[in-house]
Amino acid sequence: MAGRNRNIQQIRFLDGTEVLANILFWEEDTLIEANNILQMLPVEDMEHPDDSRTYYILKPLVMYTDDLAKKSIINPGSIMTVTEPSATVISQYTSSLAEINNAMDDTDDSGPTNVVSFDSKRKLLTED
């Protein structure tokens, strides 16, 4: 499915959910195996409300997973469209994935293990 030796695809589901995922295996009309699935969530820019750009955060689609690299199965019947994301989006996906994985690895035993905090001042993915 993925072109130009890229397995990262942007998927929009019938319910409107949009994700970026690393496609491992795609059997048309049967199943899709993917990992590192991050949901794209639009957020408002409260500091610049007149800005016409849309901002997104990327977060794991499935919460409380212990390893984003584990294979997940996607029902192809739930997909509206699939596209290859732009280089900018792939770069942001890659850096967000690394940050999330590092935060998951850095959990200490003194507190909850299912909570990952992020620096809110990090650059958000934008739609220009």
Side-chain angles (χ1 to χ4, degrees):
M1 179 73 198
R4 290 185 289 209
N5 297 320
R6 288 191 188 157
N7 294 329
I8 300 169
Q9 296 293 301
Q10 188 168 342
I11 303 169
R12 183 185 270 294
F13 294 97
L14 293 172
D15 70 358
T17 302
E18 198 159 341
V19 301
L20 295 165
N22 179 48
I23 305 300
L24 302 171
F25 177 76
W26 190 307
E27 187 172 323
E28 296 295 330
D29 300 326
T30 304
L31 67 91
I32 302 165
E33 294 179 357
N35 66 359
N36 299 320
I37 306 170
L38 299 182
Q39 183 175 4
M40 300 174 70
L41 296 170
V43 293
E44 292 182 32
D45 183 3
M46 298 302 213
E47 294 178 21
H48 306 94
D50 296 331
D51 192 353
S52 62
R53 291 180 292 183
T54 302
Y55 293 87
Y56 295 89
I57 59 170
L58 300 174
K59 70 172 199 140
L61 178 65
V62 179
M63 295 284 102
Y64 306 114
T65 184
D66 61 344
D67 185 0
L68 291 175
K70 285 184 181 176
K71 171 178 64 175
S72 294
I73 305 298
I74 299 172
N75 176 359
S78 67
I79 294 175
M80 181 184 351
T81 189
V82 177
T83 188
E84 188 172 306
S86 69
T88 302
V89 171
I90 290 173
S91 174
Q92 185 64 39
Y93 166 80
T94 303
S95 69
S96 293
L97 192 58
E99 185 174 341
I100 291 167
N101 283 325
N102 286 338
M104 289 173 70
D105 290 341
D106 289 343
T107 57
D108 63 22
D109 294 334
S110 63
T113 59
N114 61 352
V115 177
V116 178
S117 61
F118 298 98
D119 181 358
S120 63
K121 302 208 184 314
R122 300 268 307 161
K123 185 177 176 183
L124 296 173
L125 177 63
T126 63
E127 180 181 85
D128 292 319

